[in-house]
Amino acid sequence: MSGPLRKPQSTALSVMEFYCPPCETAMCQECTSGEHGEHPTVPLKDVVEQHKASLLDQLNAVKKRLPEIDSALLTLSEILQQLTSRKSSIEDDIHTTFDELQKTLNVRKSVLLMELEVNYGLKQKVLQAQLDTLLQGQEGINSSCNFTEQALTHGSEAEVLLVKKQMGERLIELANQELPLQPGENAQLDFLVETDGLKKSIHNLGTVVTTNAVASETVATGEGLRHCVVGVPTAITITTKDKDGQLCKMGNAVITAEISFSDGCKVDGEILDNKNGTYDYLFTAPKEGPFNLSLRLYNQHIKGSPFKIKAHIQTSPNSDGTKKRLKSPGSGHIKQKAFKRPASMYSTGRRKENPIEDDLIFRIGTKGRNKGEFTNLQGVAASSQGKVLIADSNNQCVQVFSNDGQFRSRFGIRGRSPGQMQRPTGVAVHPTGDIIIADYDNKWVSIFSSDGKFKNKIGSGKLMGPKGVAVDRNGHVIVVDNKACCVFIFQANGKMVTKFGNRGNGDRQFAGPHFAAVNNNNEIIVTDFHNHSVKVFNTEGEFLLKFGSNGEGNGQFNAPTGVAVDVNGNIIVADWGNSRIQVFDGSGSFLSYINTLADPLYGPQGLALTSDGHVVVADSGNHCFKVYRYLQ
């Protein structure tokens, strides 16, 4: 029965003393022997108390939903507010972008009109002066002819003689007068403009990026959620889904990750957008013990987050079948051995007698934001003037050191305007001394002078996620676009020379390429991160060779990153997932390791050869760079 409850009359309540459970109704004494005579009855008071208790439990259960609803309302209100704010901000960005384009068009329009006016004025001046000269000559001839003809027709003999004397020389002069009878200019004024490409670019200008992914349906998978080995890079896959649990098939979702130990230790990692709705989170645990991994989508925990994971130290079997702990974390699977490296200009040709002796000369840096401190350092470059340059990614700057590790300077301001840095990942030095920096998040390459003054940016509008940069023998800038899975070649002024590669696992394809180097033959060597290989191309982008496969053995990789080439053409590669540095000859045959066992690397990134012949590598997981002996 629906409708408002009616308060029973007091006389009715006084007789309703019993309750019939089968009929679920109150009744009087008389009804217990009447129509409800065969039904069990209980005192109404007891039933009411039971019903009150039941209703109270139900009421409390319902009220418990209110905080959940309040929280959901608050979250939805915040998201709606953020959405409205983002809409307003993007509207401003769109208006500003197109207003700036309109200003640029108007400026160009004014320049063209001015050029037209100048060219017209120059031509008109020449033609008008020629016209005035001809008119003046014509008037002089007509005047002299009329005067002479008048004298010949109507003048006396004396007047004819006088005219002959006065006009003879004048007529000879007019007959021989040089006049500008041929045009001194032409009438050509053309306007040449190619608008098809521009219209196409404008038609495709800008993209409003969004996804339908929600945190409550998004999941994380992978072995890294179950176990994690200290010092060994670990990967977790995040799959985004919409509110109905359907897979999202586009990238660009905002995902953040945070690893925290009980002692407050924080660990950084790298999130790779696969552009298909899935993302790879790559991290390396620096020490043993339990930790929490928080994965958030749009600042909300995904399903199961925070995850409780325990990092343990890799064990290795002894010859007697028992297990022992290795001396250094992250090196249990690295089969580094002593090899005689090929001789070079730095080499004595002597075999290293002690294979356990570490090649490390020194290390510089700890985690932090001050001079000589780093947060997720990435690219490395070395200049012929004895400088080492480090792309300090999360500190949005480049730090400069001497070959012996002395801090010299740093430059860079966080921001998204030309001359600022948002996420510097690659660095190279041009033969002119200019410093070239790949800015992953700003999607361009910045060029600074040797003392850190901004000069120019290139690749804007073409690059999607530049990671590494190098310079070839022609002074061209090689840019490895990690997101677009291709390589661009630019002139130093920003004009594109060529580009090659796309996403895939073929010879001319890449899957998250990282860094590049150039050998003495001007061939481009690219590390193909997810394809676990190194590929070599000529300057036209033609594939020459590749080497490497996924694994831990000699010549195998688990996601190669930094790369450099020595004077003999030998290729030095940072093996990120195996936390080691391998050396190959120019044809890709494995030669040796650089011994890093005593102070293990944790996820090395960029590397370079210093001017004094050592290898410098960005030890990203340890927030420092290390310098090793090479070919001694």
Side-chain angles (χ1 to χ4, degrees):
M1 178 181 294
S2 61
L5 294 173
R6 296 179 179 176
K7 184 177 180 181
Q9 296 180 4
S10 60
T11 55
L13 282 174
S14 66
V15 297
M16 297 295 182
E17 299 176 355
F18 300 94
Y19 179 77
C20 178
C23 300
E24 295 183 344
T25 183
M27 58 185 178
C28 62
Q29 177 71 42
E30 183 179 346
C31 293
T32 59
S33 57
E35 59 181 297
H36 300 280
E38 296 181 357
H39 298 168
T41 59
V42 295
L44 179 62
K45 183 178 180 182
D46 294 347
V47 173
V48 169
E49 290 301 323
Q50 292 174 5
H51 283 201
K52 280 184 178 179
S54 176
L55 283 171
L56 189 59
D57 289 342
Q58 293 172 342
L59 182 64
N60 290 334
V62 171
K63 282 185 175 180
K64 287 180 181 178
R65 300 299 308 279
L66 290 176
E68 297 176 352
I69 295 173
D70 289 340
S71 177
L73 285 171
L74 180 61
T75 300
L76 287 173
S77 298
E78 289 176 351
I79 292 174
L80 188 58
Q81 185 177 359
Q82 291 171 3
L83 180 65
T84 304
S85 174
R86 289 300 303 147
K87 175 179 176 289
S88 176
S89 175
I90 291 172
E91 282 178 345
D92 292 342
D93 289 345
I94 291 172
H95 284 302
T96 300
T97 298
F98 282 86
D99 287 346
E100 290 296 326
L101 287 174
Q102 189 63 55
K103 288 179 183 177
T104 303
L105 286 172
N106 287 336
V107 168
R108 184 57 183 162
K109 176 183 174 182
S110 299
V111 169
L112 288 170
L113 289 173
M114 186 181 300
E115 288 180 4
L116 176 64
E117 192 64 37
V118 168
N119 282 287
Y120 167 78
L122 292 172
K123 286 176 175 285
Q124 188 266 348
K125 184 177 180 180
V126 171
L127 292 171
Q128 188 62 51
Q130 188 175 1
L131 186 65
D132 291 343
T133 300
L134 288 173
L135 287 173
Q136 185 178 357
Q138 183 187 52
E139 182 181 358
I141 290 173
N142 286 335
S143 174
S144 297
C145 288
N146 289 337
F147 180 79
T148 303
E149 288 173 349
Q150 187 73 20
L152 290 173
T153 305
H154 303 289
S156 63
E157 293 177 349
E159 288 174 335
V160 170
L161 290 174
L162 182 60
V163 168
K164 174 68 173 68
K165 184 176 181 181
Q166 292 177 341
M167 298 301 296
E169 291 183 2
R170 175 61 176 163
L171 291 173
I172 293 172
E173 181 183 333
L174 290 173
N176 295 320
Q177 182 182 7
E178 291 187 6
L179 294 172
L181 301 177
Q182 299 302 319
E185 255 294 356
N186 58 60
Q188 183 187 15
L189 279 175
D190 293 323
F191 178 49
L192 300 179
V193 60
E194 194 282 310
T195 59
D196 290 343
L198 179 60
K199 287 178 180 177
K200 184 177 180 181
S201 296
I202 292 174
H203 181 74
N204 297 316
L205 181 63
T207 304
V208 177
V209 176
T210 186
T211 75
N212 295 322
V214 295
S216 59
E217 296 293 334
T218 294
V219 297
T221 57
E223 287 296 318
L225 293 176
R226 288 180 284 278
H227 66 272
C228 169
V229 178
V230 174
V232 178
T234 304
I236 291 172
T237 299
I238 302 164
T239 303
T240 55
K241 299 182 181 182
D242 64 17
K243 63 181 178 60
D244 299 319
Q246 298 298 311
L247 296 178
C248 296
K249 297 181 180 179
M250 296 179 60
N252 298 302
V254 180
I255 296 176
T256 57
E258 181 181 77
I259 288 177
S260 57
F261 286 80
S262 58
D263 60 1
C265 173
K266 305 286 185 182
V267 178
D268 291 325
E270 184 177 12
I271 295 176
L272 302 176
D273 186 348
N274 297 319
K275 296 300 179 182
N276 60 2
T278 67
Y279 304 78
D280 292 328
Y281 175 56
L282 309 172
F283 69 94
T284 302
K287 61 181 182 177
E288 188 177 14
F291 61 88
N292 287 334
L293 167 61
S294 296
L295 295 175
R296 293 182 176 89
L297 174 68
Y298 301 116
N299 208 32
Q300 296 182 24
H301 285 285
I302 68 170
K303 270 188 178 181
S305 176
F307 301 93
K308 296 187 181 301
I309 306 172
K310 186 174 182 179
H312 62 276
I313 294 178
Q314 177 75 55
T315 56
S316 176
N318 275 324
S319 58
D320 60 1
T322 61
K323 291 185 176 181
K324 66 175 182 179
R325 289 194 173 187
L326 296 177
K327 293 182 179 179
S328 55
S331 63
H333 58 288
I334 302 175
K335 305 171 183 177
Q336 297 201 37
K337 302 175 181 177
F339 288 89
K340 181 180 179 181
R341 299 191 181 117
S344 78
M345 63 181 289
Y346 307 116
S347 170
T348 61
R350 293 175 296 180
R351 183 183 298 273
K352 183 175 291 186
E353 296 299 329
N354 182 5
I356 305 303
E357 180 186 351
D358 200 283
D359 288 335
L360 180 68
I361 302 174
F362 61 84
R363 59 181 285 172
I364 298 293
T366 56
K367 186 175 182 180
R369 297 192 175 276
N370 297 317
K371 297 175 181 178
E373 298 177 341
F374 307 99
T375 308
N376 192 25
L377 66 169
Q378 295 278 308
V380 177
S383 75
S384 57
Q385 284 74 39
K387 292 181 179 178
V388 173
L389 295 87
I390 307 292
D392 191 359
S393 180
N394 288 11
N395 286 334
Q396 291 88 23
C397 69
V398 169
Q399 300 200 45
V400 183
F401 299 81
S402 62
N403 277 354
D404 60 358
Q406 299 299 313
F407 176 83
R408 288 290 179 256
S409 64
R410 76 173 182 178
F411 61 92
I413 300 173
R414 180 179 182 177
R416 296 189 179 274
S417 299
Q420 297 178 326
M421 301 182 196
Q422 194 64 24
R423 190 181 171 192
T425 52
V427 60
V429 180
H430 196 273
T432 61
D434 287 343
I435 301 169
I436 301 163
I437 300 167
D439 194 325
Y440 192 92
D441 283 355
N442 276 333
K443 302 178 183 179
W444 63 55
V445 171
S446 297
I447 299 178
F448 291 79
S449 65
S450 58
D451 57 353
K453 300 294 189 298
F454 176 71
K455 298 178 72 173
N456 190 22
K457 68 180 176 73
I458 64 177
S460 181
K462 296 183 177 68
L463 301 171
M464 293 177 61
K467 174 80 174 182
V469 286
V471 181
D472 71 7
R473 306 296 171 185
N474 301 319
H476 293 160
V477 179
I478 315 297
V479 183
V480 180
D481 195 325
N482 173 267
K483 277 192 176 181
C485 291
C486 65
V487 174
F488 286 84
I489 303 179
F490 295 95
Q491 294 180 2
N493 61 11
K495 183 179 179 181
M496 192 176 83
V497 178
T498 188
K499 89 181 245 199
F500 59 89
N502 53 41
R503 185 180 297 275
N505 56 13
D507 289 344
R508 293 189 77 253
Q509 295 180 310
F510 302 104
H514 267 50
F515 293 97
V518 178
N519 64 18
N520 290 330
N521 297 325
N522 211 29
E523 295 165 345
I524 302 167
I525 303 164
V526 183
T527 53
D528 195 354
F529 190 83
H530 290 294
N531 283 331
H532 309 289
S533 61
V534 175
K535 296 176 179 176
V536 183
F537 303 83
N538 64 19
T539 52
E540 284 74 45
E542 295 174 349
F543 173 79
L544 300 177
L545 65 96
K546 72 175 179 180
F547 57 91
S549 60
N550 189 14
E552 302 174 358
N554 293 349
Q556 292 186 310
F557 301 111
N558 184 2
T561 48
V563 60
V565 183
D566 69 17
V567 292
N568 291 321
N570 296 324
I571 302 169
I572 309 160
V573 183
D575 190 356
W576 183 85
N578 289 326
S579 289
R580 62 185 178 183
I581 302 172
Q582 301 191 67
V583 184
F584 302 81
D585 67 18
S587 63
S589 296
F590 174 79
L591 295 177
S592 65
Y593 299 100
I594 290 178
N595 194 336
T596 62
L597 286 175
D599 188 6
L601 297 167
Y602 290 131
Q605 287 280 350
L607 61 78
L609 273 169
T610 63
S611 58
D612 54 356
H614 300 313
V615 168
V616 55
V617 61
D619 191 356
S620 185
N622 284 322
H623 304 289
C624 67
F625 71 88
K626 295 176 178 176
V627 176
Y628 292 93
R629 297 180 186 89
Y630 177 66
L631 300 177
Q632 294 294 332

